[in-house]
Amino acid sequence: MMGVAGLVLLAFAVAARASGSLTGLILPASLWAASLLLSVVSSVYTTRRGKFEVWTERLQSLQLKGDEHIVDLGCGRGGVLLLAAKLLPHGQAVGVDLWKSSDQSGNDVEVTRTNAVLEEVAAQVQSETADMRKLPFADASFDLAVSSVAIHNISAAEGAPPHSRKR
């Protein structure tokens, strides 16, 4: 929607300039259009590439040996899970999620498994359906726990909406 609004404002600014009318609105419309279109470009970059670059750098900085056991809490379609798995030729990366599409579109255990196959790390990846507050693993089962854009989905209390705690 931001992109559409940006293009509409840009078209308006161009039309106003060409017709010589509403000249006082050309600069504001152009600035708003540029702002909206740059926001779209930034969003696409961070969603498609930037976040993976940051996670790759973070995971590589840990200097893993390659035999660790890692858990990704709220792994969704597996973006971080699969990056971690690539660093574990002799280890295991376990993705935990409730697989609710209300938390993330396309959030399905089969999508994560398919992505693991496509990324050639299916042998290192395991998927579990569980609530990150009640994990079905023994204590000290993992060397590392990661989570990206998932913890905010936890309710403050059973049945209460997120962010409902008193301050």
Side-chain angles (χ1 to χ4, degrees):
M1 294 306 287
M2 282 193 305
V4 170
L7 291 173
V8 167
L9 284 168
L10 185 60
F12 169 80
V14 169
R17 171 110 173 139
S19 71
S21 63
L22 303 171
T23 56
L25 295 177
I26 294 171
L27 181 60
S30 298
L31 292 174
W32 275 102
S35 175
L36 289 170
L37 294 172
L38 286 172
S39 292
V40 169
V41 169
S42 174
S43 179
V44 169
Y45 171 77
T46 57
T47 300
R48 296 290 182 186
R49 186 173 177 109
K51 67 182 176 184
F52 297 109
E53 290 175 358
V54 171
W55 270 105
T56 297
E57 180 182 310
R58 290 286 183 185
L59 290 168
Q60 287 176 343
S61 75
L62 297 173
Q63 299 178 358
L64 301 172
K65 296 179 289 184
D67 62 352
E68 290 85 358
H69 286 78
I70 295 176
V71 63
D72 183 356
L73 303 172
C75 68
R77 294 185 296 255
V80 177
L81 175 71
L82 304 180
L83 289 173
K86 289 179 181 182
L87 301 173
L88 304 172
H90 306 290
Q92 190 76 31
V94 179
V96 175
D97 209 312
L98 293 173
W99 316 109
K100 294 183 343 190
S101 61
S102 60
D103 291 338
Q104 179 186 37
S105 65
N107 193 13
D108 186 283
V109 68
E110 290 307 318
V111 172
T112 305
R113 290 179 180 149
T114 298
N115 288 341
V117 170
L118 292 171
E119 292 294 325
E120 300 179 353
V121 292
Q124 293 95 304
V125 172
Q126 178 184 341
S127 304
E128 293 287 336
T129 301
D131 186 320
M132 68 175 78
R133 297 171 294 182
K134 300 172 189 158
L135 296 173
F137 310 110
D139 290 350
S141 294
F142 299 98
D143 301 298
L144 176 67
V146 297
S147 186
S148 177
V149 196
I151 294 173
H152 68 280
N153 290 323
I154 297 175
S155 298
E158 195 66 37
H163 312 296
S164 65
R165 290 185 216 132
K166 292 182 181 179
R167 296 178 189 210

